Structure formats: C-alpha cells, structure tokens
PDB file of all heavy atoms in Angstrom:
ATOM      1  N   ALA A   1     317.491 190.900 161.428  1.00 98.00           N
ATOM      2  CA  ALA A   1     317.433 189.613 162.120  1.00 98.00           C
ATOM      3  C   ALA A   1     318.708 189.410 162.929  1.00 98.00           C
ATOM      4  O   ALA A   1     319.803 189.715 162.473  1.00 98.00           O
ATOM      5  CB  ALA A   1     317.271 188.479 161.114  1.00 98.00           C
ATOM      6  N   GLY A   2     318.555 188.929 164.158  1.00 98.00           N
ATOM      7  CA  GLY A   2     319.704 188.669 165.016  1.00 98.00           C
ATOM      8  C   GLY A   2     319.256 187.920 166.250  1.00 98.00           C
ATOM      9  O   GLY A   2     318.096 187.505 166.357  1.00 98.00           O
ATOM     10  N   SER A   3     320.162 187.768 167.193  1.00 97.00           N
ATOM     11  CA  SER A   3     319.835 187.023 168.416  1.00 97.00           C
ATOM     12  C   SER A   3     320.232 187.781 169.676  1.00 97.00           C
ATOM     13  O   SER A   3     320.295 187.200 170.750  1.00 97.00           O
ATOM     14  CB  SER A   3     320.536 185.665 168.395  1.00 97.00           C
ATOM     15  OG  SER A   3     321.953 185.818 168.309  1.00 97.00           O
ATOM     16  N   ALA A   4     320.488 189.073 169.549  1.00 95.00           N
ATOM     17  CA  ALA A   4     320.976 189.859 170.679  1.00 95.00           C
ATOM     18  C   ALA A   4     319.924 189.983 171.766  1.00 95.00           C
ATOM     19  O   ALA A   4     318.735 190.161 171.492  1.00 95.00           O
ATOM     20  CB  ALA A   4     321.400 191.246 170.210  1.00 95.00           C
ATOM     21  N   ASN A   5     320.369 189.892 173.012  1.00 94.00           N
ATOM     22  CA  ASN A   5     319.536 190.185 174.161  1.00 94.00           C
ATOM     23  C   ASN A   5     319.627 191.670 174.493  1.00 94.00           C
ATOM     24  O   ASN A   5     320.649 192.313 174.219  1.00 94.00           O
ATOM     25  CB  ASN A   5     319.974 189.361 175.373  1.00 94.00           C
ATOM     26  CG  ASN A   5     319.746 187.877 175.174  1.00 94.00           C
ATOM     27  OD1 ASN A   5     318.766 187.478 174.564  1.00 94.00           O
ATOM     28  ND2 ASN A   5     320.649 187.060 175.679  1.00 94.00           N
ATOM     29  N   GLY A   6     318.573 192.213 175.103  1.00 93.00           N
ATOM     30  CA  GLY A   6     318.614 193.615 175.487  1.00 93.00           C
ATOM     31  C   GLY A   6     317.228 194.203 175.580  1.00 93.00           C
ATOM     32  O   GLY A   6     316.218 193.502 175.454  1.00 93.00           O
ATOM     33  N   ALA A   7     317.184 195.497 175.804  1.00 93.00           N
ATOM     34  CA  ALA A   7     315.917 196.212 175.963  1.00 93.00           C
ATOM     35  C   ALA A   7     315.547 196.924 174.674  1.00 93.00           C
ATOM     36  O   ALA A   7     316.410 197.473 173.985  1.00 93.00           O
ATOM     37  CB  ALA A   7     316.022 197.224 177.100  1.00 93.00           C
ATOM     38  N   GLY A   8     314.262 196.912 174.350  1.00 95.00           N
ATOM     39  CA  GLY A   8     313.778 197.646 173.194  1.00 95.00           C
ATOM     40  C   GLY A   8     314.474 197.234 171.916  1.00 95.00           C
ATOM     41  O   GLY A   8     314.572 196.062 171.584  1.00 95.00           O
ATOM     42  N   SER A   9     314.988 198.218 171.178  1.00 95.00           N
ATOM     43  CA  SER A   9     315.626 197.943 169.890  1.00 95.00           C
ATOM     44  C   SER A   9     316.997 197.291 170.030  1.00 95.00           C
ATOM     45  O   SER A   9     317.589 196.889 169.023  1.00 95.00           O
ATOM     46  CB  SER A   9     315.739 199.243 169.081  1.00 95.00           C
ATOM     47  OG  SER A   9     316.538 200.186 169.772  1.00 95.00           O
ATOM     48  N   ASN A  10     317.507 197.163 171.246  1.00 95.00           N
ATOM     49  CA  ASN A  10     318.762 196.438 171.438  1.00 95.00           C
ATOM     50  C   ASN A  10     318.555 194.927 171.350  1.00 95.00           C
ATOM     51  O   ASN A  10     319.513 194.185 171.134  1.00 95.00           O
ATOM     52  CB  ASN A  10     319.387 196.794 172.788  1.00 95.00           C
ATOM     53  CG  ASN A  10     319.914 198.206 172.827  1.00 95.00           C
ATOM     54  OD1 ASN A  10     320.492 198.685 171.846  1.00 95.00           O
ATOM     55  ND2 ASN A  10     319.708 198.903 173.927  1.00 95.00           N
ATOM     56  N   ALA A  11     317.314 194.491 171.553  1.00 97.00           N
ATOM     57  CA  ALA A  11     316.998 193.074 171.379  1.00 97.00           C
ATOM     58  C   ALA A  11     316.801 192.780 169.900  1.00 97.00           C
ATOM     59  O   ALA A  11     316.354 193.641 169.139  1.00 97.00           O
ATOM     60  CB  ALA A  11     315.732 192.719 172.150  1.00 97.00           C
ATOM     61  N   GLN A  12     317.147 191.575 169.496  1.00 98.00           N
ATOM     62  CA  GLN A  12     316.946 191.173 168.111  1.00 98.00           C
ATOM     63  C   GLN A  12     316.327 189.782 168.065  1.00 98.00           C
ATOM     64  O   GLN A  12     316.584 188.935 168.921  1.00 98.00           O
ATOM     65  CB  GLN A  12     318.270 191.190 167.341  1.00 98.00           C
ATOM     66  CG  GLN A  12     318.852 192.580 167.156  1.00 98.00           C
ATOM     67  CD  GLN A  12     320.185 192.564 166.429  1.00 98.00           C
ATOM     68  OE1 GLN A  12     320.649 191.535 165.962  1.00 98.00           O
ATOM     69  NE2 GLN A  12     320.808 193.735 166.346  1.00 98.00           N
ATOM     70  N   PHE A  13     315.491 189.575 167.035  1.00 98.00           N
ATOM     71  CA  PHE A  13     314.833 188.295 166.805  1.00 98.00           C
ATOM     72  C   PHE A  13     315.159 187.808 165.391  1.00 98.00           C
ATOM     73  O   PHE A  13     315.608 188.579 164.545  1.00 98.00           O
ATOM     74  CB  PHE A  13     313.312 188.436 166.928  1.00 98.00           C
ATOM     75  CG  PHE A  13     312.831 188.965 168.252  1.00 98.00           C
ATOM     76  CD1 PHE A  13     312.563 190.315 168.428  1.00 98.00           C
ATOM     77  CD2 PHE A  13     312.622 188.112 169.327  1.00 98.00           C
ATOM     78  CE1 PHE A  13     312.101 190.815 169.642  1.00 98.00           C
ATOM     79  CE2 PHE A  13     312.169 188.594 170.545  1.00 98.00           C
ATOM     80  CZ  PHE A  13     311.911 189.941 170.699  1.00 98.00           C
ATOM     81  N   ASP A  14     314.857 186.539 165.139  1.00 98.00           N
ATOM     82  CA  ASP A  14     314.964 185.976 163.801  1.00 98.00           C
ATOM     83  C   ASP A  14     313.665 185.235 163.507  1.00 98.00           C
ATOM     84  O   ASP A  14     313.492 184.079 163.851  1.00 98.00           O
ATOM     85  CB  ASP A  14     316.160 185.029 163.699  1.00 98.00           C
ATOM     86  CG  ASP A  14     316.441 184.608 162.262  1.00 98.00           C
ATOM     87  OD1 ASP A  14     315.634 184.928 161.374  1.00 98.00           O
ATOM     88  OD2 ASP A  14     317.469 183.942 162.025  1.00 98.00           O
ATOM     89  N   PHE A  15     312.728 185.930 162.914  1.00 98.00           N
ATOM     90  CA  PHE A  15     311.379 185.465 162.617  1.00 98.00           C
ATOM     91  C   PHE A  15     310.672 184.938 163.861  1.00 98.00           C
ATOM     92  O   PHE A  15     310.375 183.745 163.987  1.00 98.00           O
ATOM     93  CB  PHE A  15     311.380 184.396 161.516  1.00 98.00           C
ATOM     94  CG  PHE A  15     310.070 184.353 160.760  1.00 98.00           C
ATOM     95  CD1 PHE A  15     309.828 185.232 159.721  1.00 98.00           C
ATOM     96  CD2 PHE A  15     309.071 183.472 161.120  1.00 98.00           C
ATOM     97  CE1 PHE A  15     308.621 185.220 159.029  1.00 98.00           C
ATOM     98  CE2 PHE A  15     307.853 183.444 160.438  1.00 98.00           C
ATOM     99  CZ  PHE A  15     307.634 184.316 159.389  1.00 98.00           C
ATOM    100  N   PRO A  16     310.365 185.826 164.795  1.00 98.00           N
ATOM    101  CA  PRO A  16     309.579 185.424 165.958  1.00 98.00           C
ATOM    102  C   PRO A  16     308.174 185.042 165.524  1.00 98.00           C
ATOM    103  O   PRO A  16     307.537 185.770 164.755  1.00 98.00           O
ATOM    104  CB  PRO A  16     309.578 186.681 166.832  1.00 98.00           C
ATOM    105  CG  PRO A  16     309.711 187.808 165.855  1.00 98.00           C
ATOM    106  CD  PRO A  16     310.604 187.287 164.758  1.00 98.00           C
ATOM    107  N   ALA A  17     307.665 183.894 166.016  1.00 98.00           N
ATOM    108  CA  ALA A  17     306.425 183.359 165.443  1.00 98.00           C
ATOM    109  C   ALA A  17     305.273 183.239 166.423  1.00 98.00           C
ATOM    110  O   ALA A  17     304.137 183.063 165.994  1.00 98.00           O
ATOM    111  CB  ALA A  17     306.694 181.988 164.810  1.00 98.00           C
ATOM    112  N   ALA A  18     305.521 183.282 167.718  1.00 98.00           N
ATOM    113  CA  ALA A  18     304.427 183.146 168.684  1.00 98.00           C
ATOM    114  C   ALA A  18     304.790 183.878 169.961  1.00 98.00           C
ATOM    115  O   ALA A  18     305.970 184.022 170.296  1.00 98.00           O
ATOM    116  CB  ALA A  18     304.140 181.668 168.979  1.00 98.00           C
ATOM    117  N   VAL A  19     303.754 184.318 170.695  1.00 98.00           N
ATOM    118  CA  VAL A  19     303.962 185.017 171.955  1.00 98.00           C
ATOM    119  C   VAL A  19     302.881 184.589 172.929  1.00 98.00           C
ATOM    120  O   VAL A  19     301.730 184.371 172.544  1.00 98.00           O
ATOM    121  CB  VAL A  19     303.961 186.552 171.746  1.00 98.00           C
ATOM    122  CG1 VAL A  19     302.656 187.010 171.119  1.00 98.00           C
ATOM    123  CG2 VAL A  19     304.236 187.296 173.040  1.00 98.00           C
ATOM    124  N   ALA A  20     303.274 184.419 174.202  1.00 98.00           N
ATOM    125  CA  ALA A  20     302.316 184.008 175.237  1.00 98.00           C
ATOM    126  C   ALA A  20     302.766 184.556 176.577  1.00 98.00           C
ATOM    127  O   ALA A  20     303.933 184.946 176.755  1.00 98.00           O
ATOM    128  CB  ALA A  20     302.202 182.480 175.298  1.00 98.00           C
ATOM    129  N   PHE A  21     301.831 184.566 177.542  1.00 97.00           N
ATOM    130  CA  PHE A  21     302.108 185.053 178.888  1.00 97.00           C
ATOM    131  C   PHE A  21     301.771 183.961 179.898  1.00 97.00           C
ATOM    132  O   PHE A  21     300.808 183.210 179.716  1.00 97.00           O
ATOM    133  CB  PHE A  21     301.272 186.295 179.203  1.00 97.00           C
ATOM    134  CG  PHE A  21     301.649 187.497 178.406  1.00 97.00           C
ATOM    135  CD1 PHE A  21     301.143 187.692 177.132  1.00 97.00           C
ATOM    136  CD2 PHE A  21     302.531 188.441 178.923  1.00 97.00           C
ATOM    137  CE1 PHE A  21     301.490 188.803 176.387  1.00 97.00           C
ATOM    138  CE2 PHE A  21     302.886 189.556 178.185  1.00 97.00           C
ATOM    139  CZ  PHE A  21     302.374 189.738 176.914  1.00 97.00           C
ATOM    140  N   ASP A  22     302.557 183.904 180.987  1.00 96.00           N
ATOM    141  CA  ASP A  22     302.191 183.003 182.073  1.00 96.00           C
ATOM    142  C   ASP A  22     301.376 183.770 183.113  1.00 96.00           C
ATOM    143  O   ASP A  22     301.155 184.979 182.996  1.00 96.00           O
ATOM    144  CB  ASP A  22     303.414 182.303 182.672  1.00 96.00           C
ATOM    145  CG  ASP A  22     304.381 183.249 183.375  1.00 96.00           C
ATOM    146  OD1 ASP A  22     303.983 184.396 183.691  1.00 96.00           O
ATOM    147  OD2 ASP A  22     305.529 182.840 183.631  1.00 96.00           O
ATOM    148  N   THR A  23     300.929 183.060 184.150  1.00 93.00           N
ATOM    149  CA  THR A  23     300.053 183.684 185.149  1.00 93.00           C
ATOM    150  C   THR A  23     300.778 184.725 185.987  1.00 93.00           C
ATOM    151  O   THR A  23     300.145 185.560 186.634  1.00 93.00           O
ATOM    152  CB  THR A  23     299.453 182.613 186.074  1.00 93.00           C
ATOM    153  OG1 THR A  23     300.517 181.815 186.624  1.00 93.00           O
ATOM    154  CG2 THR A  23     298.504 181.709 185.302  1.00 93.00           C
ATOM    155  N   ALA A  24     302.115 184.704 185.990  1.00 94.00           N
ATOM    156  CA  ALA A  24     302.885 185.714 186.713  1.00 94.00           C
ATOM    157  C   ALA A  24     303.141 186.956 185.869  1.00 94.00           C
ATOM    158  O   ALA A  24     303.719 187.932 186.356  1.00 94.00           O
ATOM    159  CB  ALA A  24     304.221 185.128 187.178  1.00 94.00           C
TER     160      ALA A  24
END
C-alpha cells in the first residue's frame, strides 16, 4: 500500500475501490 505516482508497478494504491472511464 502506498500513494506513489508512476507507471505500472511504480504506481501504488491504498485499497483502490472503484474504477471508471470517461468518454475520452
């Protein structure tokens, strides 16, 4: 768990709970 920004495994989340896409 973490809050790092980045690509692939360099990114970190802390219990991500939802995902959505916009029209773009």
Side-chain angles (χ1 to χ4, degrees):
S3 59
N5 294 324
S9 61
N10 290 320
Q12 293 178 6
F13 302 96
D14 190 352
F15 206 83
V19 58
F21 292 84
D22 66 17
T23 53

